[in-house]
Amino acid sequence: MMFATFLIVASFAAYLALLFWANRSARPVEGPLKITRAAAELPGATKKLRVVTWNIGYAGLGRDADLIVDNGTSLRALSAAEITKAARAIADWLVADGSDVVCLQEVPNAGFLTRKVPVRDVIDTALKDRARAFWSDMRSVIAPPLLRVDHGMAVFARRQMQDCAAVALPADDTYLLALLKKHYGTVISRYPIPESGQEWVVFNVHLSAFDEAGHARRKQLNTLIGLAEQAYRDGHFVVIGGDWNMRLTVTDFAHEADPEKLLWVSDFPKEMLPEGWQIALDATTPTVRSLNSAYVPGKNYVTIVDGFVVSPNVAIDTVKTADLGFAWSDHQPVTATFTART
């Protein structure tokens, strides 16, 4: 009996060691992504393009949520019913927005953090008339079903998507619960403009959130700019949209947060942008809020970290952040329209 007990304990310890090693060592798959085509043929791109970016916070970080990694007390603050409601609301909003290209971050398959709610499937179903691609940037390995996690970035398009690929950016040192690695990166999709020989190149980006002093974010930004510059030098129109996790502009929205606890706050280094490149943002409305507590206007820290950077041959027509009161995510969607300069 004692020997059998020893074997069970030893086997469990070995499994935990393997679980730890496998997840700490896991790396995302980079390169071309599978594109799920729309049922009907989509039109080609035009010289105007409407793009929305939104970090949906896996539909689990809405108004009533806090998060332990941002000085909150919860890991899963919302119920399955609340997550389901948020997923459906996010999907409905995206349908109504009607952008040519949708760039989403923190899109989850059913798993631990979503209480098994298949958030990605909900959004896919609502946007089934569009081409779409998904890149997994945080996935558990050999974890039991109850603890599985599979989150990533998604792109949806109402225009012909020629191809789509993922590139992981330089890693930071953070792990979720000292185990699971979030691999920040960019998903690059291309939309040819018929009979022009040119195309829109859209980068869906998500930079690190909690690296100290923003050092990893600067390295990631440097790599990202290099990729975007090459697309521009090739004669294309470049739009980079996403969650930069850096303040894109100075903000003074009212809050009661302790500045010493806002360790993730870092400013976008505008000096790193090449000449002629522009930042597109809506300065009137915050795009992110702190997760130290449930959202209360004027109490939580809010600022602007979501928006766009565009190449010199792209004109910024409009940029608007939808003020949703952080009802369904700790971020708010930003929609912009652009015109190709020829």
Side-chain angles (χ1 to χ4, degrees):
M1 180 67 70
M2 290 183 60
F3 182 69
T5 302
F6 171 78
L7 285 179
I8 293 173
V9 172
S11 297
F12 184 66
Y15 169 71
L16 290 179
L18 180 60
L19 180 69
F20 182 83
W21 175 84
N23 283 280
R24 295 274 296 195
S25 304
R27 296 291 181 269
V29 177
E30 299 183 72
L33 299 174
K34 176 185 176 181
I35 299 174
T36 301
R37 302 293 178 181
E41 185 175 355
L42 297 173
T46 68
K47 290 185 178 179
K48 286 191 174 291
L49 193 73
R50 178 182 170 96
V51 186
V52 62
T53 178
W54 194 359
N55 182 331
I56 66 168
Y58 55 91
L61 297 176
R63 181 186 294 117
D64 295 327
D66 67 330
L67 190 64
I68 195 168
V69 296
D70 194 15
N71 298 300
T73 60
S74 306
L75 184 58
R76 299 188 301 173
L78 303 184
S79 68
E82 289 171 315
I83 293 171
T84 300
K85 181 179 179 181
R88 291 172 178 167
I90 289 167
D92 289 346
W93 189 94
L94 291 170
V95 170
D97 176 68
S99 286
D100 297 311
V101 181
V102 176
C103 296
L104 302 182
Q105 306 87 41
E106 294 194 17
V107 179
N109 289 304
F112 173 73
L113 292 177
T114 69
R115 298 185 184 272
K116 298 184 179 181
V117 176
V119 174
R120 178 186 166 198
D121 288 348
V122 172
I123 297 173
D124 273 5
T125 299
L127 302 181
K128 61 185 177 182
D129 61 336
R130 310 183 193 200
R132 53 200 182 276
F134 175 80
W135 180 56
S136 181
D137 59 23
M138 185 173 71
R139 178 187 296 169
S140 60
V141 180
I142 64 169
L146 180 64
L147 300 178
R148 284 178 186 164
V149 173
D150 186 6
H151 293 199
M153 304 170 69
V155 176
F156 299 84
R158 298 174 63 206
R159 302 292 177 177
Q160 290 181 8
M161 188 188 302
Q162 178 172 289
D163 56 53
C164 192
V167 178
L169 299 174
D172 61 22
D173 297 325
T174 59
Y175 290 85
L176 177 63
L177 303 178
L179 179 67
L180 201 57
K181 185 68 175 175
K182 170 79 170 180
H183 296 277
Y184 294 93
T186 184
V187 172
I188 309 166
S189 52
R190 298 173 180 271
Y191 307 90
I193 301 175
E195 301 179 3
S196 72
Q198 295 174 298
E199 59 191 25
W200 289 97
V201 183
V202 179
F203 289 72
N204 180 3
V205 65
H206 193 187
L207 301 190
S208 294
F210 294 104
D211 68 295
E212 186 176 351
H215 296 309
R217 278 168 276 188
R218 292 179 71 94
K219 292 179 181 179
Q220 292 166 355
L221 181 60
N222 185 61
T223 299
L224 178 66
I225 288 174
L227 295 169
E229 272 200 293
Q230 183 58 59
Y232 170 60
R233 287 195 296 268
D234 289 341
H236 304 308
F237 308 104
V238 179
V239 174
I240 313 172
D243 176 5
W244 300 84
N245 270 316
M246 295 185 283
R247 288 188 298 197
L248 298 180
T249 188
V250 176
T251 60
D252 59 357
F253 300 114
H255 68 89
E256 298 177 3
D258 181 354
E260 294 186 1
K261 293 185 177 181
L262 298 173
L263 300 180
W264 56 272
V265 176
S266 178
D267 290 322
F268 187 99
K270 296 179 181 179
E271 69 276 6
M272 291 182 64
L273 284 181
E275 183 178 355
W277 289 69
Q278 302 177 77
I279 297 175
L281 58 87
D282 176 359
T284 67
T285 307
T287 71
V288 68
R289 60 103 168 176
S290 63
L291 284 162
N292 58 301
S293 67
Y295 178 62
V296 177
K299 179 179 179 181
N300 300 73
Y301 178 75
V302 295
T303 191
I304 296 172
V305 302
D306 304 87
F308 303 89
V309 169
V310 300
S311 55
N313 57 352
V314 173
I316 302 167
D317 299 331
T318 62
V319 190
K320 180 65 177 178
T321 299
D323 191 352
L324 306 177
F326 298 101
W328 309 314
S329 171
D330 59 322
H331 290 253
Q332 305 205 102
V334 185
T335 303
T337 55
F338 305 101
T339 299
R341 292 172 171 162
T342 56

